C-alpha cells in the first residue's frame, strides 16, 4: 500500500526536464494544498532527475498563487553543476501559469570538522505528551501525529499569547521513514505565528520558505520513522508580514534542518 | 561625488529586462566581489525595473560560481504580479555563463497589527566601542566602519571560540543613508562562522543567502546613516557546511532585517 505522503508526492515524466503531478485530496489545506507538500514536491522533482548531483543542501520555495485542484507541471533546470554542488531553478505551473518557484542547491556531503553548536529545547519525550491535532481538522493535518509542548493551535476563546513560539513532536501518520522530502514538509508543520499572538486565526499565508538541510543520509537512516522535535518563533510582525525561524531536531538532539519563512497576514 | 557603494551598484540598461554592470575594484573580496555587493546588485536590478511593485520583502541569492573581474549582465523576470506582491527570478551571467541566481518578492507594506516580538542583544553604544577592521584588510571591508562587541575576526594566534556569535555595530564608510540595497549588503557583513570556531581561516564561501526585509521606507528614513547592530550565529557545522542566522537592528531596537545563509567550508 502506498503511504499517503508518497501518494501526494507522486510525479510522472512529462517532457525533458518536466514532470507531471496532481493535487491530492488528502493534502488539501484551506486554500490549495498544504505548502509543505508543495515544497516537498518541488524538491522531489529535482531528486527525480537522472543527472542530480548529491543530496539536498538548501531549498527556497516561493508561493506565487494558490494551486488549483488538479494537474500541474514542474520544470527543473540545472543552471550550473560544480564539483561540489549543483544549482537548480524549479517552476510549477498550471495551464501555463506559474504558481510556485524554487531554487535548490544539491551536493555531496564530505567528512569535515563538525560541531552541533546549538542544543534543542529541553522537553519531555513524545510518549509523555498527549497527542493533539488541529482543532477543526484540516485534511492534511490528520496525516501527522502531533504532540504539542508549547503553543498549540488557538481554540475559540483562546487568549493572545505573548510568546510566538510553538514546539511539538511530530511524525507522519502512519509512521514513515524520514527522507529529504518528508523533512521538507515537516519544516512547514507550523500554523501561522500570528494566530498564536492574536489568539485567533486571521488570513495568512507563506510567501517564501527556506530549508537548510543539516541531515545527511546517515542522520536520516539513524532517525528512521521516529518523531522529530519541531520548534518555531517569529522575530517581528508588522506592515502585513512576519518572519518565522524554526528548527527540526531528532530525539538525540541532532539538528536535522533549520528553516525560515516570510509570511503574509491581514487583520 | 558618487559614494563608493553606489559606484559598486551602478547598472545600465542593456536590453528589455536586462541591465549591465561591472565588478568594481573597491569591492573586491578574496575571490570575486564581496557577496553582499552581489546580493545588493541583484536587488537593485529589480528596483530599476519600471514595473516594480512595492518594496523588497524577501530576497534569496544563490552563489553558483565566482564572478570574474569585468562586466556582467543581469536579467530580471517578473514571474507573477499579484495585488499584494510580485515575484521575481533574477540571473547574473558573464559570457553566457550564469554565476548568480536569485528570487525576490516585492510588495507594498500595509498598516496592520504590529509587534517587535524579539529584542536586540544588550550592548554598549557604538560610540563607546573602538573601531576595528579586518586584520589583513580585504578591499571591500575598508568601506565599512566596524565596531565589534563580540567575535571579532580571528588574528594569528587566536584560540578557537566555543561561541559562533559575532556582534558588531557597522555602517558604510563614509556614512550613507540606509536603503534596501545597503541593508542587503550589510546582511553579508559577517565573515564565515567557521573561522571563529576554529580560530583560523579555512576555505569557505556562502552558497545561498536569504534576507527578510522587516524595515519599510519609514524605518529606513528614520534610520538615516546611523550604525546598525549586526549579529549572527551558526546552528550546526558538519559535512562541509554550516548555516548562519543573523539579525540587523537599529539603535532603537527595531529589527530592520533577518538574514540566513548556508555556507560551504573545507578543513
Amino acid at each position: 500500500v502506498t503511504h499517503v505522503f508518497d501518494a501526494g508526492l507522486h510525479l510522472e515524466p512529462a517532457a525533458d526536464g518536466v514532470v507531471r503531478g496532481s493535487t491530492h485530496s488528502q493534502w488539501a489545506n484551506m486554500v490549495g494544498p498544504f505548502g509543505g507538500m508543495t515544497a516537498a514536491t518541488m524538491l522531489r522533482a529535482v531528486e527525480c532527475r537522472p543527472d542530480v548531483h548529491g543530496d539536498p543542501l538548501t531549498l527556497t520555495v516561493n508561493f506565487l498563487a494558490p494551486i488549483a485542484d488538479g494537474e500541474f507541471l514542474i520544470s527543473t533546470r540545472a543552471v550550473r553543476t560544480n564539483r561540489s554542488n549543483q544549482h537548480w531553478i524549479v517552476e510549477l505551473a498550471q495551464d501555463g501559469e506559474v504558481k510556485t518557484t524554487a531554487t535548490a542547491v544539491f551536493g555531496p556531503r564530505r567528512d569535515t570538522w563538525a560541531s552541533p553548536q546549538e542544543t534543542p529545547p529541553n522537553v519531555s519525550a513524545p510518549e509523555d505528551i498527549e497527542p493533539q491535532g488541529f482543532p477543526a481538522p484540516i485534511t492534511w493535518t490528520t496525516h501527522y501525529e502531533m504532540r504539542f509542548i508549547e503553543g498549540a493551535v488557538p481554540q475559540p476563546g483562546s487568549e493572545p499569547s505573548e510568546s510566538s513560539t510553538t514546539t511539538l513532536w511530530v511524525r507522519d501518520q502512519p509512521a514513515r521513514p524520514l527522507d529529504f522530502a518528508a523533512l521538507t514538509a515537516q519544516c512547514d508543520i507550523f500554523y501561522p505565528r500570528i494566530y498564536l499572538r492574536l489568539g485567533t486565526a486571521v488570513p495568512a499565508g507563506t510567501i517564501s520558505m527556506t530549508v537548510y538541510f543539516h541531515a545527511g543520509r546517515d542522520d536520516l537512516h539513524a532517525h528512521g520513522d521516529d518523531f522529530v522535535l519541531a520548534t518555531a518563533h517569529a522575530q517581528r510582525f508588522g506592515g502585513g508580514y512576519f518572519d518565522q525561524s524554526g528548527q527540526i531536531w531528532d530525539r538525540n538532539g541532532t539538528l536535522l534542518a533549520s528553516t525560515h519563512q516570510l509570511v503574509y497576514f491581514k487583520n
Side-chain angles (χ1 to χ4, degrees), chain A:
Chain A
V1 180
T2 303
H3 190 282
V4 67
F5 185 73
D6 295 293
L9 269 187
H10 182 73
L11 294 171
E12 287 175 0
D16 199 26
V18 181
V19 289
R20 178 182 292 110
S22 178
T23 59
H24 191 295
S25 61
Q26 288 302 310
W27 291 94
N29 201 352
M30 282 177 289
V31 179
F34 168 44
M37 174 54 80
T38 302
T41 307
M42 301 294 272
L43 187 82
R44 177 54 58 89
V46 175
E47 292 182 315
C48 288
R49 285 279 301 246
D51 54 344
V52 69
H53 177 52
D55 288 327
L57 301 174
T58 168
L59 172 74
T60 294
V61 180
N62 301 293
F63 299 92
L64 281 61
I67 296 171
D69 289 347
E71 288 196 350
F72 51 78
L73 293 174
I74 302 180
S75 67
T76 51
R77 176 162 68 100
V79 181
R80 188 180 183 102
T81 301
N82 299 314
R83 252 188 320 179
S84 59
N85 56 44
Q86 186 176 49
H87 288 263
W88 294 89
I89 292 180
V90 186
E91 298 187 36
L92 182 155
Q94 289 185 306
D95 295 327
E97 202 184 331
V98 181
K99 302 290 184 77
T100 318
T101 64
T103 60
V105 188
F106 278 60
R109 286 183 167 74
R110 292 163 296 107
D111 191 27
T112 61
W113 181 82
S115 166
Q117 196 65 41
E118 300 253 311
T119 53
N122 187 9
V123 300
S124 302
E127 292 75 10
D128 297 336
I129 297 163
E130 285 297 308
Q132 180 187 352
F134 275 42
I138 295 161
T139 312
W140 71 265
T141 69
T142 63
H143 304 307
Y144 288 102
E145 183 180 348
M146 303 189 194
R147 297 175 182 236
F148 284 93
I149 292 141
E150 181 184 2
V153 189
Q155 311 266 2
S158 285
E159 293 293 314
S161 163
E162 283 300 308
S163 163
S164 71
T165 301
T166 285
T167 304
L168 72 157
W169 290 105
V170 61
R171 66 172 167 187
D172 294 320
Q173 186 166 262
R176 174 185 176 280
L178 190 63
D179 56 16
F180 293 109
L183 181 57
T184 299
Q186 289 172 358
C187 284
D188 195 37
I189 201 70
F190 312 99
Y191 66 91
R193 306 292 82 213
I194 186 81
Y195 293 12
L196 183 58
R197 290 289 278 109
L198 298 182
T200 188
V202 295
T206 301
I207 292 175
S208 184
M209 165 182 174
T210 286
V211 179
Y212 297 138
F213 298 92
H214 294 289
R217 286 176 180 236
D218 292 350
D219 292 314
L220 295 179
H221 185 74
H223 183 81
D225 63 4
D226 197 6
F227 287 93
V228 300
L229 179 65
T231 184
H233 66 283
Q235 300 191 89
R236 181 178 169 191
F237 297 84
Y241 305 96
F242 66 90
D243 67 343
Q244 174 184 292
S245 278
Q247 300 164 327
I248 307 290
W249 303 89
D250 76 7
R251 194 190 284 257
N252 305 313
T254 301
L255 183 63
L256 302 174
S258 46
T259 183
H260 309 283
Q261 298 198 358
L262 189 76
V263 184
Y264 158 95
F265 75 94
K266 263 188 181 171
N267 82 316

